[in-house]
Amino acid sequence: MIRPVLVVVLLLLAMAMPDSVQAQAACPLNFEGRSNPTSCLCRGEGMLSGPVWGSGPYTSDSHVCRAALHAGAVPAAGGLVTVTPEPGRPSYRGGSANGVSTMDYGPWQASFSVTAAKPGAATPRRPAPPISKGRGRC
């Protein structure tokens, strides 16, 4: 009985989200090895725990969505963010903001900053292949 109720609740939540949020890919756990800015979706449990070093920019191995909450880019319920890679820093200062405490750290090779995604700035998922019209091979 719980499964059907859960399915209905999830469907209702999905219907309540704007199309841009529904089509958005979830944020990566961290930003290690990434060199391009990306817009992604932070959801509840991704923001509840995980290490974060710095107070903006953050070390690339920090949890992206937890850093987004710390930065004020999203509320505790989640939302769309833009994550931008930055060069490493000689040190990172931790701090507390928006219910999240981050830690100090020394030198690290890469960083990222995180901001609320601007309307229309979403990075869409890979588009579906076009549907062929007319005669074609099956």
Side-chain angles (χ1 to χ4, degrees):
M1 183 65 185
I2 291 176
R3 281 189 180 171
V5 171
L6 181 60
V7 169
V8 169
V9 169
L10 291 174
L11 286 172
L12 289 173
L13 285 173
M15 290 172 26
M17 288 185 191
D19 289 342
S20 61
V21 172
Q22 289 181 39
Q24 192 61 45
C27 289
L29 182 63
N30 61 49
F31 220 58
E32 285 283 282
R34 297 178 184 265
S35 58
N36 294 317
T38 188
S39 292
C40 55
L41 178 62
C42 285
R43 295 188 186 157
E45 65 262 358
M47 299 184 312
L48 298 178
S49 64
V52 179
W53 294 276
S55 289
Y58 303 93
T59 61
S60 60
D61 61 339
S62 294
H63 281 219
V64 169
C65 291
R66 189 108 173 113
L69 181 59
H70 178 267
V74 291
L80 290 174
V81 297
T82 298
V83 188
T84 306
E86 295 192 14
R89 302 285 200 271
S91 65
Y92 297 83
R93 168 105 30 217
S96 293
N98 301 308
V100 178
S101 293
T102 66
M103 300 171 281
D104 293 341
Y105 200 76
W108 193 251
Q109 72 274 7
S111 307
F112 68 85
S113 60
V114 61
T115 57
K118 294 177 182 163
T123 305
R125 291 185 180 186
R126 195 176 313 170
I131 297 173
S132 127
K133 294 185 178 184
R135 294 181 209 188
R137 294 179 5 195
C138 293

